[in-house]
């Protein structure tokens, strides 16, 4: 088992780290508080090739895998710039289109996803069904050669920044009459598609939306893949990359918080002139958080390696475990950092409390810790399904 990155991966990590630190957390917070997007960082990352590292070279990407994209997610987060749309556009949408889209769809969308000039967001979650695709209420039906989509979606990230949204709907199988999942590439300005911004208690430059689809008319080629049979594989193709890159973003955020706290506690001196970090009551919680973050990083590396090797079932287990571990570790790291900094930890200036909402959300989305425990209990421990 080799834990060393390749020379190319090392260079990628260093380059992304330098880019992230050049912008930094102050930039991230300033954009979020102004209601603006991190457009400059996104476009520069795209121009430098970091957004397309997992996209094949023939479509303008770097030819790497989810391992490389996870490095990008982690390093930007470790610099204080956790970009959620990295998970949504390059990880989910680009993977789905590359693996299961038609050649025309790949040519149309992947080059723009690779250079950052195009964003495609992802819509699966619904107000009544959550992310349980077996109970989705969004339905696609045929109307001649076209499709008509109707339904609602909730907690859809970045719709206001995107050209298209990848919508998970259900269609009727003409041979069986049963509903089956299908994915559609929907322009965000399509007639019948309306969005409503959700007010969230998370400091982020990326917004969340409720979507309404009222007989949104789409051409036949909006369906991802050559036929409806591509729907289920296409849906699952995006879930493991989502888990892995969300975990990487969480691990990077944890690293950022621990670094900020460690720098502070090593230099802050009270009670006789000793640094507060010399006291075990301060040092041990930070050390414990650092251990948890590093353990999560190991599982992320395993999950990404398995995924890139085409071992999807094993990657599913490891990806869920990585997401669970990183979500817990990030929340612990940020909370511990705030506590170590005391009152300073709650100020915007010191840049850790600004992440509290995001890391708490990381224990809920894109799949809750409880559903991951259900998954592990069923698929690893052999227990009966509990839900």
């Amino acid at each position: 088992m080799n834990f060393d990155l390749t020379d190319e991966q090392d260079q990628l990590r260093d380059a992304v780290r330098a880019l992230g630190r050049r912008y930094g957390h102050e930039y991230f917070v300033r954009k979020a508080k102004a209601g603006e997007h991190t457009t400059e960082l996104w476009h520069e990352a795209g121009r430098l090739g970091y957004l397309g590292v997992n996209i094949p070279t023939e479509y303008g990407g770097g030819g790497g895998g989810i391992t490389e994209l996870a490095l990008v997610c982690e390093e930007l987060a470790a610099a204080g710039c956790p970009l959620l749309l990295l998970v949504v556009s390059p990880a989910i949408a680009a993977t789905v289109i590359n693996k299961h889209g038609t050649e025309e769809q790949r040519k149309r969308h992947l080059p723009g996803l690779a250079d950052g000039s195009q964003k495609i967001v992802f819509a699966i979650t619904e107000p009544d069904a959550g992310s349980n695709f077996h109970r989705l209420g969004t339905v696609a039906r045929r109307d001649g050669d076209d499709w008509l989509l109707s339904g609602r979606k909730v907690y859809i990230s970045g719709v206001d920044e995107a050209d298209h949204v990848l919508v998970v709907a259900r269609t009727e199988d003409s041979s069986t009459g049963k509903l089956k999942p299908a994915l559609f590439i929907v322009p965000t300005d399509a007639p019948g598609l309306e969005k409503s911004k959700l007010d969230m208690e998370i400091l982020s430059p990326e917004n969340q939306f409720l979507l309404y689809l009222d007989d949104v008319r789409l051409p036949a080629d909006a369906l991802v893949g050559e036929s409806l049979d591509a729907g289920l594989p296409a849906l699952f193709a995006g879930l493991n990359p989502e888990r892995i890159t969300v975990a990487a973003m969480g691990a990077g955020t944890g690293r950022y918080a621990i670094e900020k706290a460690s720098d502070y506690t090593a230099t802050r001196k009270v009670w006789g002139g000793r640094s507060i970090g010399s006291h075990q009551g301060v040092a041990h919680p930070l050390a414990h958080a650092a251990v948890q973050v590093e353990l999560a990083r190991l599982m992320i590396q395993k999950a990404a390696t398995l995924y890139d090797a085409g071992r999807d079932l094993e990657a599913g287990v490891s990806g869920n475990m990585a997401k669970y571990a990183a979500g817990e570790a990030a929340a612990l790291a940020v909370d511990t950092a705030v506590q170590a900094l005391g009152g300073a930890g709650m100020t915007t200036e010191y840049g850790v409390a600004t992440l509290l909402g995001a890391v708490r959300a990381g224990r809920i989305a894109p799949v809750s810790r409880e559903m991951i425990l259900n998954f592990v209990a069923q698929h690893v421990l052999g227990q009966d399904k509990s839900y």
Side-chain angles (χ1 to χ4, degrees):
M1 186 176 294
N2 185 3
F3 292 98
D4 292 328
L5 298 178
T6 66
D7 289 342
E8 291 79 7
Q9 290 168 342
D10 262 330
Q11 292 168 10
L12 174 65
R13 181 184 286 279
D14 291 344
V16 175
R17 179 186 296 127
L19 173 66
R21 289 183 173 177
R22 186 147 50 79
Y23 283 86
H25 192 59
E26 289 184 6
Y27 163 83
F28 181 89
V29 171
R30 184 172 68 253
K31 289 290 184 178
K33 289 193 171 183
E36 299 173 355
H37 304 305
T38 51
T39 306
E40 303 87 353
L41 174 55
W42 183 271
H43 285 319
E44 186 165 357
R47 180 177 58 80
L48 294 171
Y50 305 150
L51 302 181
V53 290
N54 62 312
I55 293 174
T57 55
E58 58 264 38
Y59 303 109
I66 293 302
T67 297
E68 284 74 20
L69 186 60
L71 291 175
V72 175
C73 291
E74 182 180 342
E75 289 307 318
L76 286 179
C81 297
L83 300 186
L84 180 57
L85 288 192
L86 279 171
V87 174
V88 178
S89 196
I92 300 177
T95 299
V96 167
I97 292 170
N98 180 49
K99 286 196 168 187
H100 296 282
T102 64
E103 180 59 21
E104 175 57 32
Q105 288 168 345
R106 287 191 284 268
K107 289 179 179 178
R108 188 187 314 156
H109 297 292
L110 292 182
L113 294 175
D115 66 18
S117 61
Q118 183 179 163
K119 295 175 184 175
I120 300 180
V121 295
F122 184 60
I124 181 172
T125 307
E126 295 188 357
D128 297 324
S131 56
N132 180 3
F133 72 87
H134 296 290
R135 299 189 61 186
L136 293 181
T138 300
V139 175
R141 67 183 191 277
R142 283 284 194 184
D143 185 43
D145 291 334
D146 292 345
W147 289 96
L148 292 176
L149 265 65
S150 293
R152 291 187 300 161
K153 299 290 181 179
V154 71
Y155 305 123
I156 310 306
S157 307
V159 181
D160 56 334
E161 301 180 61
D163 311 280
H164 297 82
V165 53
L166 189 61
V167 176
V168 183
R170 302 186 74 196
T171 63
E172 184 175 333
D173 188 328
S174 59
S175 61
T176 66
K178 295 182 178 179
L179 293 177
K180 59 193 298 185
L183 278 71
F184 295 87
I185 303 173
V186 182
T188 50
D189 61 355
L193 175 63
E194 301 291 337
K195 64 181 185 292
S196 176
K197 184 174 175 290
L198 295 167
D199 290 329
M200 305 291 292
E201 295 300 320
I202 299 172
L203 185 63
S204 172
E206 294 145 329
N207 297 315
Q208 301 292 314
F209 290 90
L210 181 64
L211 296 186
Y212 304 89
L213 299 101
D214 183 13
D215 279 349
V216 176
R217 183 173 293 276
L218 300 170
D221 62 1
L223 174 70
V224 173
E226 300 288 353
S227 72
L228 290 175
D229 292 335
L232 192 59
L235 174 59
F236 281 113
L239 297 184
N240 283 340
E242 176 190 52
R243 307 287 195 264
I244 295 166
T245 50
V246 163
M249 191 167 65
T253 300
R255 284 173 50 204
Y256 166 85
I258 292 168
E259 180 181 349
K260 294 287 286 187
S262 297
D263 289 346
Y264 180 86
T265 56
T267 55
R268 172 72 168 162
K269 294 182 178 180
V270 295
W271 308 115
R274 296 174 61 189
S275 69
I276 62 173
S278 67
H279 298 284
Q280 293 178 352
V282 175
H284 282 188
L286 285 174
H288 173 64
V291 169
Q292 301 309 306
V293 169
E294 189 61 23
L295 291 173
R297 293 179 73 205
L298 288 173
M299 186 54 77
I300 294 163
Q301 185 177 3
K302 178 180 179 180
T305 300
L306 289 170
Y307 183 83
D308 289 338
R311 296 161 64 178
D312 290 346
L313 290 177
E314 295 164 279
V317 173
S318 295
N320 275 289
M321 288 183 172
K323 193 274 171 187
Y324 180 97
E328 298 299 300
L332 175 66
V334 172
D335 185 69
T336 302
V338 170
Q339 190 70 22
L341 269 67
M346 294 303 298
T347 66
T348 302
E349 177 186 356
Y350 282 87
V352 284
T354 44
L355 294 166
L356 281 169
V359 295
R360 187 60 186 85
R363 300 174 73 204
I364 302 169
V367 57
S368 72
R369 60 195 300 274
E370 289 76 20
M371 286 305 297
I372 292 176
L373 293 176
N374 284 335
F375 178 92
V376 172
Q378 181 182 351
H379 295 284
V380 179
L381 304 182
Q383 304 302 304
D384 289 339
K385 189 175 181 180
S386 62
Y387 59 96

